[in-house]
């Protein structure tokens, strides 16, 4: 299987099937979208190296689709394959960033040649870009931290689907996600940096700021709120000298709030690292914290 993924955007017909089979039999991972809207939804939710699209498709006009796709992923390579080739269409498509503008009358082998050529060029460009980014990051960064990222990536693999596992390991090891590590991960996994940041900021388990050795999550869901979560939170803030969202000066604790941790019967609840402490009172807080050094 080749490392590249391709999206074919065209209405379902025999020719689309032939393109699909030709590309798959050459080892590419291929998906299809029937119209412009479906194509944009797929590009938002996934990462494709190359999009093969007809200009006349339902939903979104072809040249506009080209522009929208590049807005979503500036690295995406596109090849236009049209049933009605025109000189104006070719000029506009190439000006819009398409790699090739082809007529649907060409045999599938010629199409494959064009795809291989586009992706080889992309591979060389990515390689050069990766070397440039790595050189820049390594010249200015904490080298030990980056070697840890290298080890994690060797272990988790270089597939875009490894992203969350890689970020989890970095978070666990470094207690946060350093900016340079995210740039390196983005370059290595060939994912847009915006996608990597999107995941890093979506999940509460990740932090872009260094966290303490222990993470305290105070549940402020309805059941815990009714049973005094606010008082528990205040007691923690007073005792630790930080507000929710902060980290103690000695980096022992970070304090966060969460919505319902799923054991409302034990309300009010806090979770320290992976340990649940239920039916908590302000008085019990110091003895709970004493277990975490
Ligand atoms: S509301 Fe706190 S555990 Fe459900």
């Amino acid at each position: 299987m080749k490392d590249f993924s391709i999206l074919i955007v065209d209405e379902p017909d025999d020719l689309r099937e032939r393109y699909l089979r030709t590309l798959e039999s050459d080892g590419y991972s291929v998906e299809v979208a029937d119209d412009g809207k479906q194509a944009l939804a797929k590009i938002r939710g996934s990462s494709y190296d190359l999009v093969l699209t007809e200009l006349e498709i339902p939903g979104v006009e072809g040249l506009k689709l080209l522009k929208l796709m590049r807005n979503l992923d500036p690295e995406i390579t596109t090849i236009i394959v049209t049933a009605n080739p025109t000189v104006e269409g070719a000029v506009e498509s190439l000006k819009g960033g398409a790699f090739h503008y082809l007529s649907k009358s060409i045999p599938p082998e010629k199409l494959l040649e064009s795809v291989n050529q586009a992706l080889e060029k992309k591979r060389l460009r990515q390689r050069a870009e990766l070397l440039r980014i790595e050189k820049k990051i390594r010249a200015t960064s904490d080298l030990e931290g980056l070697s840890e990222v290298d080890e994690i990536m060797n272990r988790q693999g270089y597939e875009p689907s490894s992203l969350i596992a890689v970020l989890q390991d970095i978070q666990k090891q470094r207690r946060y996600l350093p900016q340079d590590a995210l740039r390196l991960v983005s370059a290595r996994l060939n994912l847009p940096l915006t996608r990597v940041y999107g995941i890093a900021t979506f999940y509460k388990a990740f932090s872009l700021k260094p966290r303490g050795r222990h993470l305290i999550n105070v549940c402020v869901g309805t059941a815990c709120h009714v049973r005094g979560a606010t008082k528990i939170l205040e007691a923690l803030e007073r005792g630790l000298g930080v507000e929710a969202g902060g980290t103690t000066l000695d980096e022992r604790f970070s304090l966060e709030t969460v919505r319902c941790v799923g054991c409302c019967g034990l309300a009010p609840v806090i979770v320290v690292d992976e340990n649940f402490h239920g039916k908590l009172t302000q008085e019990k807080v110091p003895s709970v914290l004493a277990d975490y050094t």
Side-chain angles (χ1 to χ4, degrees):
M1 180 65 83
K2 291 186 174 171
D3 284 339
F4 291 113
S5 60
I6 297 175
L7 179 67
I8 303 177
V9 187
D10 203 352
E11 292 179 90
D13 62 8
D14 289 351
L15 189 59
R16 189 179 86 173
E17 271 310 298
R18 276 170 60 205
Y19 287 163
L20 177 72
R21 281 200 303 273
T22 304
L23 293 167
E24 280 185 339
S25 61
D26 203 55
Y28 289 112
S29 143
V30 188
E31 289 186 25
V32 291
D34 298 345
D35 56 42
K37 284 188 180 152
Q38 218 180 76
L40 291 172
K42 277 181 171 276
I43 292 167
R44 267 188 211 104
S46 199
S47 173
Y48 299 95
D49 297 291
L50 185 140
V51 174
L52 203 62
T53 182
E54 164 63 282
L55 278 185
E56 290 164 27
I57 45 160
V60 184
E61 192 269 322
L63 288 172
K64 191 170 172 202
L65 176 66
L66 200 63
K67 195 170 164 202
L68 292 172
M69 287 192 300
R70 290 179 75 85
N71 284 347
L72 285 175
D73 181 357
E75 292 303 311
I76 211 159
T77 300
T78 42
I79 293 180
I80 307 293
V81 192
T82 178
N84 298 306
T86 61
V87 174
E88 296 75 32
V91 171
E92 288 305 313
S93 299
L94 297 176
K95 256 182 16 195
F99 181 79
H100 271 162
Y101 178 88
L102 305 171
S103 160
K104 273 187 173 170
S105 60
I106 64 161
E109 313 79 68
K110 285 281 170 203
L111 177 83
L112 181 61
E113 234 173 67
S114 171
V115 166
N116 285 339
Q117 208 183 339
L119 289 176
E120 177 58 13
K121 196 168 172 194
K122 180 169 190 153
R123 195 181 63 75
L124 293 173
R125 203 174 59 235
Q126 283 173 342
R127 179 94 195 109
E129 179 64 3
L130 178 59
L131 290 174
R132 190 187 67 74
I133 291 174
E134 286 200 7
K135 199 170 156 197
K136 196 168 159 211
I137 293 175
R138 287 182 196 287
T140 56
S141 299
D142 155 20
L143 288 180
E144 197 189 325
L146 292 181
S147 316
E148 285 173 8
V149 175
D150 286 337
E151 275 168 34
I152 288 169
M153 298 199 70
N154 285 337
R155 199 168 58 238
Q156 296 290 1
Y158 290 81
E159 296 298 315
S161 57
S162 311
L163 176 61
I164 291 184
V166 167
L167 296 185
Q168 278 173 325
D169 282 4
I170 298 173
Q171 173 73 45
K172 197 167 172 189
Q173 209 146 323
R174 306 287 293 173
R175 288 193 259 133
Y176 80 115
L177 301 175
Q179 209 181 44
D180 286 340
L182 294 181
R183 283 164 52 213
L184 193 58
V185 169
S186 150
R188 288 277 180 84
L189 295 185
N190 186 26
L191 286 172
L193 191 55
T194 48
R195 175 87 49 91
V196 175
Y197 267 95
I199 296 288
T201 50
F202 180 77
Y203 293 103
K204 276 207 130 193
F206 298 135
S207 170
L208 299 183
K209 290 186 296 184
R211 270 186 181 157
R213 293 192 295 286
H214 303 289
L215 174 63
I216 305 172
N217 274 306
V218 181
C219 179
V220 291
T222 308
C224 288
H225 177 72
V226 169
R227 290 174 182 264
T230 309
K231 285 201 163 61
I232 302 290
L233 181 60
E234 283 169 3
L236 281 161
E237 287 179 332
R238 260 196 322 275
L240 299 174
V242 287
E243 294 189 347
T247 296
T248 56
L249 283 177
D250 61 0
E251 296 189 347
R252 185 174 161 211
F253 291 109
S254 286
L255 183 63
E256 302 278 347
T257 56
V258 282
R259 296 245 156 227
C260 191
V261 290
C263 49
C264 306
L266 295 178
V269 182
I270 69 168
V271 186
V272 187
D273 299 335
E274 277 143 23
N275 308 314
F276 287 67
H277 300 273
K279 297 203 183 290
L280 205 58
T281 60
Q282 290 184 75
E283 294 69 37
K284 286 187 199 163
V285 165
S287 65
V288 168
L289 297 187
D291 288 340
Y292 299 90
T293 53

